[in-house]
Amino acid sequence: MESEATEQLPHPMETDPPPPQEPPRIHRLDESVVNRIAAGEVIQRPVSAVKELVENSLDAGSTSITISVKDGGLKFIQVSDDGHGIRYEDLAILCERHTTSKLSAFEDLQSIKSMGFRGEALASMTYVAHVTVTTITSGQLHGYKVTYKDGVMEHEPKACAAVKGTQIVIENLFYNMIARQKTLKNSADDYPKIVDLLSRFAIHHKNVSFSCRKHGSTTADVHTVAMSSRLDSIRSVYGVSVARNLIQIAASDANPSSSVFEMDGFISDSNYSAKKTTMVLFINERLVECTALKRAIEIVYAATLPKASKPFIYMSITLPPEHVDVNVHPTKREVSLLNQEVIIEKIQSTIELKLRSFNESGTYQEQQAVDSSPVSTGAANKVSPINASTSGSQKVYAHKMVRTDFQDPSGRLHAYMQVKSSRHLESKCDLNSLRSSIRQRRNPKETSDLTSVQELVNEFERGCHSGLLDIVRNCTYVGMADDVFALLQYNTHLYLANVVNLSKELMYQLVLQRFGYFNGIQLSDPVPLQELITMALREEDLDSEENENDDLKRKIAEMNAKLLTQKSEMLHEYFGIYVDPQGNLSRLPVILDQHTPDMDRLPEFVLCLGNDVLWDDEKICFQTIAAALGNFYAMHPPFLPNPSGDNTEIYKRGSCSSAEGKEGMLLGRKELMMSYF
């Protein structure tokens, strides 16, 4: 009985089963939620937005692309191009999802050649940022400007002035995605990633000019012009030290049973050393990544080079469009290739053979330490060629390293040092090429997006006399014949050159070539424009005893100062002339490096800006401002009016009356003329 009673008791661990739960209901997400989720996948960070916009500009046939970025792209991104623009009737659906001009059927993906095709990028940006589009197409008298939010226009397109092409502005990126915004603010600035992205595009698209700078900065961190060769593009972006250590490679296969492709590019040789692999890969004109190919190439370098240094690789691979699947990644960063393993193996074999051939040839760079002090013959004999392939056997500490790269002027102090050598005459060609490189870096020919400025540049380039230009470039400076004319020798001829007119033309051309990209000369104390204009007006009136026109002069000065203050934004952005809201001039542009204008002519220059500039016509406005700057910055003879009031005579400043002062003045003019031509 006891056992039966025990069996009837419930087990202490047994409990009643939980009541059955109903499965959660599946419901349709709101369209705005769907779009924001998709936008966060397509536009992952500011550099993603820049890549999409640049690819759109390239698809539009642009030859010049300019990017401006603020706060790493979170606050402001502006991409301007000179492409074919956007039709007025297409603006209404421009930022809707899956609207595109690149394809119309799914089968088109098999032959797609454009970089964009989904129609998601602009739509995604409107869901996570404020987007403004300004565009003009060929033949239109004016452009249109419209803002977008959540894929639709906020207002009808407004007519506006515009330059050729399209300008897209992205503001407050991820303003409605707080977690993403905080993550990006706490991480490293995206601007270096944007600069790296533009550098990669620049070396591949050598026929397109690229410019990238921080918003408000007067200097561009990336600036390239159309180049004739790929190697020149790499040199302009990554520097001489990279370009001179590159080997050209090429590979191809036309066997349909294995693979069909063509590859060309440049890889670094055994003299190149870096801590990180730089691989720029374009497949069918798309900037992509291929981890398998990168790893295969790194294995070759590790096995071939004793130092196992990290390489620099630029590679462009072309395949039939139907052999590439471009729709495998949300940001199109990766693609899938038909017979990928075979292609990688053949490229790997080509690189391995090229590196082995280079190593067996024994071609190594011979470098010498550069020192400004004389070196004894015995010490010079101790300097031996440096073999990069054997230097890995013994570690050289950083504090024992010596600067040896005298051919790379970018950022190297010794590029500006005078090297005293017994072989000075033999190295004249090398020094000339070095000076040419420095000159090109100091005076870059910036290309402006404005058609009017391009027309002005084209005008003086078309009017250039090749014979006279050759004389100025290759002449020998003899000396100054007087205060205006310089003696120049060219071959067996002796020429008189008007320094004043020559320097005026030089400064005028430099203003237009550097349009919008000026460094600044900061004045020690801001100067009121009204006082400067009044001084200029009084200098025009030589009779100081008559004061009846003082009221008129004051009104003229006040009106001109007010006008220039109203135009301050344009003057600062395009010409580097900064006028504060109170009407004080505080900054002037650097037109020619290491040259400062005569500040005694500043009142005359400001009066010229107020009186002589035609502000209503864009081209004439820029032309007259450039001419005023050219006249102000030109080399003028040191003349002053005779204090007696007799204008038929002039006298020189006392500083130039002595032989020493005059010699300094002449040397300054020689520096000005020879530093550019």
Side-chain angles (χ1 to χ4, degrees):
M1 293 295 295
E2 186 176 354
S3 61
E4 290 180 4
T6 305
E7 287 177 0
Q8 292 177 357
L9 293 174
H11 193 277
M13 296 298 294
E14 290 183 359
T15 57
D16 295 335
Q21 293 184 354
E22 293 186 4
R25 292 285 302 274
I26 297 175
H27 60 277
R28 192 186 306 275
L29 286 176
D30 187 72
E31 187 177 354
S32 63
V33 177
V34 173
N35 289 328
R36 283 175 63 180
I37 292 173
E41 187 178 30
V42 175
I43 308 299
Q44 298 176 353
R45 52 193 313 126
V47 69
S48 307
V50 174
K51 182 175 184 289
E52 296 286 354
L53 295 176
V54 170
E55 288 179 344
N56 283 346
S57 296
L58 292 170
D59 285 340
S62 305
T63 59
S64 177
I65 301 175
T66 304
I67 296 92
S68 180
V69 177
K70 183 178 181 181
D71 288 352
L74 288 176
K75 286 292 183 184
F76 180 87
I77 298 173
Q78 177 181 288
V79 177
S80 307
D81 64 55
D82 62 349
H84 52 58
I86 303 168
R87 299 173 185 269
Y88 172 79
E89 53 269 24
D90 292 337
L91 290 174
I93 63 170
L94 173 66
C95 292
E96 290 184 8
R97 291 193 68 197
H98 308 305
T99 55
T100 179
S101 61
K102 315 297 172 57
L103 54 82
S104 55
F106 181 78
E107 290 73 22
D108 295 339
L109 274 177
Q110 297 181 4
S111 59
I112 193 79
K113 293 184 179 179
S114 63
M115 280 170 275
F117 55 87
R118 292 197 192 112
E120 285 186 322
L122 277 176
S124 298
M125 294 176 201
T126 63
Y127 285 101
V128 294
H130 303 121
V131 178
T132 304
V133 177
T134 305
T135 187
I136 185 171
T137 56
S138 178
Q140 285 186 329
L141 297 178
H142 57 77
Y144 292 95
K145 184 175 184 179
V146 60
T147 58
Y148 294 88
K149 184 178 181 181
D150 295 340
V152 297
M153 295 191 301
E154 290 191 307
H155 55 79
E156 288 296 315
K158 298 178 181 178
C160 67
V163 295
K164 178 188 176 184
T166 302
Q167 180 187 89
I168 298 180
V169 176
I170 311 295
E171 296 178 287
N172 300 321
L173 189 61
F174 303 126
Y175 73 97
N176 53 0
M177 301 176 69
I178 305 303
R180 177 79 61 89
Q181 194 176 51
K182 287 182 178 179
T183 302
L184 291 173
K185 281 185 176 180
N186 295 332
S187 64
D189 190 356
D190 245 35
Y191 186 69
K193 293 183 176 66
I194 295 172
V195 169
D196 179 66
L197 174 75
L198 267 295
S199 301
R200 293 167 183 262
F201 275 118
I203 66 174
H204 182 73
H205 298 277
K206 58 186 179 66
N207 296 321
V208 180
S209 299
F210 288 89
S211 178
C212 179
R213 58 175 173 167
K214 289 186 177 180
H215 182 66
S217 174
T218 56
T219 57
D221 295 293
V222 175
H223 178 75
T224 64
V225 295
M227 295 289 180
S228 58
S229 71
R230 188 82 61 205
L231 193 59
D232 289 338
S233 298
I234 296 174
R235 184 181 293 110
S236 68
V237 174
Y238 289 97
V240 180
S241 59
V242 174
R244 68 154 174 252
N245 291 322
L246 296 182
I247 312 170
Q248 189 167 8
I249 57 168
S252 62
D253 190 7
N255 185 358
S257 62
S258 58
S259 62
V260 179
F261 76 96
E262 291 182 0
M263 181 276 292
D264 65 89
F266 290 89
I267 60 171
S268 56
D269 57 28
S270 58
N271 292 319
Y272 178 82
S273 179
K275 296 180 180 179
K276 183 180 178 182
T277 299
T278 301
M279 183 169 183
V280 183
L281 175 62
F282 282 82
I283 297 179
N284 284 11
E285 303 299 314
R286 295 175 178 278
L287 177 62
V288 295
E289 296 177 2
C290 183
T291 307
L293 178 59
K294 181 179 179 181
R295 179 59 184 156
I297 295 174
E298 286 180 335
I299 290 173
V300 172
Y301 273 87
T304 307
L305 301 181
K307 291 175 63 177
S309 61
K310 299 299 183 181
F312 176 93
I313 306 144
Y314 162 76
M315 197 173 290
S316 176
I317 304 175
T318 305
L319 300 93
E322 61 271 17
H323 290 188
V324 183
D325 187 356
V326 297
N327 194 28
V328 298
H329 195 276
T331 61
K332 296 170 287 187
R333 190 175 62 187
E334 298 175 0
V335 295
S336 178
L337 309 180
L338 184 66
N339 301 319
Q340 178 170 301
E341 294 79 6
V342 179
I343 294 173
I344 291 176
E345 184 179 350
K346 292 187 176 180
I347 293 175
Q348 186 183 35
S349 301
T350 301
I351 293 175
E352 184 175 6
L353 289 174
K354 201 76 174 179
L355 288 175
R356 289 189 183 278
S357 173
F358 178 83
N359 290 343
E360 290 171 2
S361 68
T363 305
Y364 303 106
Q365 293 176 2
E366 182 175 330
Q367 302 174 334
Q368 294 180 348
V370 177
D371 192 354
S372 59
S373 60
V375 182
S376 64
T377 307
N381 292 334
K382 295 179 182 179
V383 180
S384 60
I386 299 174
N387 188 332
S389 66
T390 60
S391 60
S393 59
Q394 184 176 0
K395 183 176 181 181
V396 180
Y397 293 97
H399 68 278
K400 291 185 178 181
M401 291 182 180
V402 180
R403 284 182 181 267
T404 59
D405 184 5
F406 73 97
Q407 293 180 338
D408 184 1
S410 304
R412 305 298 179 91
L413 294 176
H414 56 264
Y416 303 92
M417 295 167 62
Q418 183 178 0
V419 182
K420 299 180 181 179
S421 171
S422 60
R423 297 181 297 173
H424 176 71
L425 294 177
E426 296 177 6
S427 62
K428 185 175 181 180
C429 294
D430 290 336
L431 291 176
N432 285 338
S433 63
L434 175 61
R435 291 183 185 122
S436 175
S437 299
I438 295 173
R439 187 185 307 124
Q440 290 174 9
R441 182 172 57 82
R442 286 168 51 195
N443 299 296
K445 292 187 176 181
E446 304 282 355
T447 5
S448 171
D449 295 325
L450 298 178
T451 306
S452 55
V453 178
Q454 291 176 347
E455 289 175 356
L456 291 171
V457 172
N458 292 336
E459 283 177 10
F460 69 69
E461 287 181 346
R462 283 195 303 266
C464 177
H465 190 286
S466 59
L468 291 177
L469 183 62
D470 186 59
I471 291 173
V472 175
R473 277 180 173 169
N474 301 306
C475 68
T476 301
Y477 174 81
V478 178
M480 295 296 294
D482 57 19
D483 291 314
V484 176
F485 289 95
L487 284 171
L488 307 177
Q489 182 178 345
Y490 178 74
N491 293 335
T492 58
H493 301 282
L494 197 62
Y495 295 91
L496 277 175
N498 189 314
V499 176
V500 177
N501 292 342
L502 197 62
S503 60
K504 280 183 183 179
E505 183 63 23
L506 167 63
M507 298 301 177
Y508 170 78
Q509 293 184 17
L510 284 176
V511 169
L512 295 177
Q513 288 172 345
R514 287 190 164 189
F515 186 86
Y517 298 93
F518 290 99
N519 292 330
I521 301 174
Q522 189 70 36
L523 303 183
S524 56
D525 294 310
V527 186
L529 291 176
Q530 189 168 340
E531 290 185 15
L532 289 173
I533 298 171
T534 303
M535 288 173 60
L537 292 171
R538 286 176 179 170
E539 286 175 5
E540 287 183 351
D541 189 0
L542 298 177
D543 190 356
S544 58
E545 295 179 359
E546 293 184 9
N547 296 324
E548 58 185 15
N549 291 329
D550 280 356
D551 262 352
L552 179 60
K553 293 175 185 175
R554 182 179 56 79
K555 289 179 181 178
I556 293 173
E558 185 178 350
M559 289 173 58
N560 283 339
K562 185 177 179 181
L563 173 65
L564 294 178
T565 304
Q566 292 172 350
K567 306 293 183 182
S568 61
E569 185 177 357
M570 185 270 285
L571 290 172
H572 182 228
E573 181 177 358
Y574 292 155
F575 297 97
I577 303 170
Y578 182 70
V579 177
D580 63 27
Q582 289 73 40
N584 299 317
L585 177 66
S586 62
R587 193 178 304 140
L588 293 169
V590 174
I591 296 178
L592 183 65
D593 292 0
Q594 301 178 4
H595 172 66
T596 305
D598 183 1
M599 289 301 172
D600 289 343
R601 295 182 177 271
L602 183 59
E604 178 188 348
F605 164 68
V606 176
L607 178 62
C608 182
L609 283 183
N611 277 352
D612 299 344
V613 175
L614 301 177
W615 303 95
D616 296 333
D617 185 283
E618 180 179 282
K619 182 177 177 180
I620 298 177
C621 172
F622 293 156
Q623 186 179 33
T624 48
I625 294 176
L629 282 166
N631 184 63
F632 176 39
Y633 280 72
M635 293 291 290
H636 295 276
F639 290 163
L640 288 174
N642 192 317
S644 65
D646 184 1
N647 293 329
T648 60
E649 294 183 5
I650 49 181
Y651 75 99
K652 300 175 184 176
R653 287 194 176 99
S655 60
C656 293
S657 59
S658 65
E660 181 182 356
K662 187 166 185 178
E663 181 184 359
M665 178 191 72
L666 300 187
L667 288 174
R669 292 182 183 173
K670 176 186 176 184
E671 289 270 341
L672 170 68
M673 293 172 60
M674 298 306 171
S675 63
Y676 182 75
F677 291 103

